[in-house]
Amino acid sequence: MPSDATPDPYADPLKFGQRVQILRERRGMSRSQLADFLDISPHTLKKIENGQQQAPGLDMVMRIAEALRVRDLADLTGRADTHVDLFIGPGHPRLAAVKAAIDTFPLASGVEPPPVAHLEARLQAAWKARHQAPNHREVIGKLLPDLIRDSQALVRHADSAIDRRAAQALLAQTYSLSQFFIAYQPDSSLLWRVAERGMIAAQDSEDPHTIGVAAWLLAQAHRDSGPRHYDAADAVNEEAVRFLEPLLPDATDDVLAIAGALEFELGYTAARRRETGTAWRHWDKANRMAARLPADYYHPVTSFSQAIMGAHAVTVAVELHQGGESVRQAARADEVAIPSRPRRARHRIEEARGYQLDGQPDVAIATLEKAHRAAPETIKYNGYARRLILEEVESKQVARRRRAAELAVEVGILAA
């Protein structure tokens, strides 16, 4: 065996444990924090990291991968046959074209910018299509290259300060749509470019709602990068909340909704830290803001609304690893329909995580099947769903294993 060959963690548990420790430290997590996420004692985790305990079974390996946000399961196990991207979905066929449009900056372009009203109408149609289509990445991926080109041209050809600010607002909105397409695809640097350019364009627009949306997306990019970036996510969210707060007494529905979405994001990050009181306090505040919105209102970007608060409660409970509370909140949330197909699928995935935490794996798989029916592309690119399905593919219960395997084939995790 060559000296540089990757060791088998199941044959050499010390090597597996070392990987766990290295990945934990890279994420900026203490041993106590990771043990808390895994519902084991710090002493047990220490034994795993020191190789004093046999490498755990697949269930614990997947839980460790989720807690450490491991992108590729092989990074944790060291086994080439476990090469599975957990939190990065497959590259979409339209990713290359979208990336080329984002990375192209023609200094002397012959592109004639469209009228502002025309571009606004196209963006509204694109957001509507995203919420209605089960294959939303395909739909918006087809539209994005032209939207990016035209919104950039509109900024370049702006004749006045007012026109330029309006054009920057549309460019920021285009970058926001792009971030939804790029998220969880194998190009994290492209995601960061889009998030940062969106924030710059939003600031140049001087439009409060546009700035709030860009901040909401930038904060998510920070948070999804791991625990070491939670403080940066909070800083972006808090700054945006302070910026919008003076406007709230007389705010439009859109401004009030983005402020509520930012407030919830603070709760989401607190839940990731396992700060129970802080997480629910922010959820309560966001819920009061949602109550000020019309019952049929639905924010076109964030989905913030009265209807979404039940789904948000499930997410908080799941991130706090409160299985029973997750199930209770899921029962309440199901009373309200979520109009957006991808957001509805995302909610089903969060419900499935809650059922898994509550020891109901069969219900979790059934709930993931609902997510797949609502929006196949959402579950295909969601790391939590992929992890849960793979875990149940190894179930000792024959019926559950078969059902999970069938879903894994439909999602594209396993070959038919």
Side-chain angles (χ1 to χ4, degrees):
M1 182 176 182
S3 60
D4 61 348
T6 301
D8 183 344
Y10 295 93
D12 188 347
L14 176 60
K15 298 296 185 181
F16 174 80
Q18 287 174 332
R19 287 191 183 87
V20 173
Q21 181 177 354
I22 289 169
L23 290 167
R24 172 177 62 77
E25 291 175 348
R26 284 178 182 171
R27 285 292 179 190
M29 297 179 74
S30 69
R31 186 174 287 143
S32 294
Q33 287 174 319
L34 178 56
D36 185 40
F37 273 108
L38 301 174
D39 293 322
I40 61 177
S41 69
H43 177 69
T44 298
L45 178 57
K46 182 178 180 180
K47 289 175 67 176
I48 291 174
E49 291 185 346
N50 291 342
Q52 297 172 343
Q53 182 166 307
Q54 184 65 34
L58 181 63
D59 175 69
M60 179 57 72
V61 170
M62 299 300 279
R63 286 164 62 192
I64 292 172
E66 177 182 348
L68 296 176
R69 301 287 290 176
V70 173
R71 299 291 184 184
D72 187 341
L73 196 57
D75 293 340
L76 182 60
T77 66
R79 292 174 52 166
D81 60 345
T82 58
H83 179 77
V84 179
D85 291 328
L86 292 177
F87 288 90
I88 290 290
H92 193 278
R94 295 191 182 278
L95 179 61
V98 173
K99 178 180 175 0
I102 291 168
D103 289 345
T104 299
F105 278 98
L107 298 179
S109 173
V111 175
E112 186 70 23
V116 171
H118 184 252
L119 186 56
E120 285 177 339
R122 286 164 58 195
L123 279 167
Q124 289 175 4
W127 283 112
K128 185 176 181 180
R130 180 193 175 267
H131 288 300
Q132 293 180 346
N135 58 334
H136 50 282
R137 276 190 171 82
E138 171 63 22
V139 169
I140 63 175
K142 185 177 181 179
L143 300 174
L144 276 170
D146 286 343
L147 286 170
I148 292 166
R149 179 201 63 194
D150 289 347
S151 57
Q152 289 176 343
L154 200 63
V155 171
R156 284 195 305 272
H157 289 81
D159 292 327
S160 67
I162 293 176
D163 289 344
R164 184 173 179 81
R165 286 196 295 270
Q168 290 285 16
L170 293 173
L171 178 60
Q173 188 178 159
T174 303
Y175 282 137
S176 296
L177 187 65
S178 301
Q179 189 167 337
F180 276 92
F181 173 82
I182 297 164
Y184 306 114
Q185 294 205 55
D187 197 335
S188 57
S189 63
L190 182 63
L191 178 71
W192 276 107
R193 287 202 294 282
V194 166
E196 290 171 349
R197 288 178 189 173
M199 189 73 247
I200 292 170
Q203 288 176 309
D204 286 345
S205 78
E206 300 182 11
D207 177 67
H209 175 253
T210 302
I211 292 170
V213 171
W216 182 79
L217 285 164
L218 182 59
Q220 288 192 18
H222 280 294
R223 188 189 61 234
D224 288 346
S225 297
R228 287 186 299 174
H229 301 271
Y230 288 173
D231 288 347
D234 279 346
V236 173
N237 271 322
E238 289 167 354
E239 181 69 20
V241 167
R242 283 193 296 269
F243 172 72
L244 294 173
E245 195 166 20
L247 307 176
L248 297 185
D250 302 309
T252 63
D253 289 342
D254 283 348
V255 171
L256 179 60
I258 192 58
L262 288 161
E263 192 68 44
F264 169 71
E265 287 299 311
L266 288 167
Y268 191 171
T269 307
R272 283 270 181 95
R273 289 193 178 100
R274 309 291 283 275
E275 297 171 351
T276 303
T278 303
W280 287 114
R281 176 168 54 81
H282 284 296
W283 182 90
D284 284 337
K285 189 170 182 179
N287 192 43
R288 290 194 295 273
M289 297 168 82
R292 292 175 53 189
L293 295 167
D296 60 349
Y297 174 86
Y298 205 77
H299 190 265
V301 179
T302 69
S303 297
F304 190 81
S305 58
Q306 292 184 28
I308 209 66
M309 291 311 299
H312 282 339
V314 174
T315 296
V316 169
V318 166
E319 293 295 347
L320 291 170
H321 283 214
Q322 298 173 345
E325 182 64 19
S326 302
V327 171
R328 284 190 291 274
Q329 293 292 348
R332 294 175 59 187
D334 268 355
E335 297 173 3
V336 181
I338 298 174
S340 169
R341 291 182 71 127
R343 188 59 185 84
R344 188 159 68 245
R346 164 74 188 283
H347 171 53
R348 293 300 185 194
I349 293 168
E350 296 293 279
E351 284 186 322
R353 294 176 67 199
Y355 286 121
Q356 186 78 352
L357 285 169
D358 198 47
Q360 302 184 55
D362 290 312
V363 182
I365 290 297
T367 306
L368 288 178
E369 290 170 343
K370 293 180 182 178
H372 187 259
R373 288 194 294 271
E377 284 194 345
T378 294
I379 191 170
K380 184 177 182 178
Y381 287 83
N382 187 282
Y384 293 117
R386 293 158 67 88
R387 188 272 300 169
L388 198 156
I389 294 168
L390 284 171
E391 188 175 313
E392 295 307 327
V393 164
E394 298 293 325
S395 171
K396 295 179 180 179
Q397 300 292 327
V398 176
R400 186 188 309 152
R401 183 170 67 243
R402 183 183 301 115
R403 194 171 183 180
E406 290 172 355
L407 182 57
V409 171
E410 289 182 9
V411 172
I413 301 173
L414 298 178

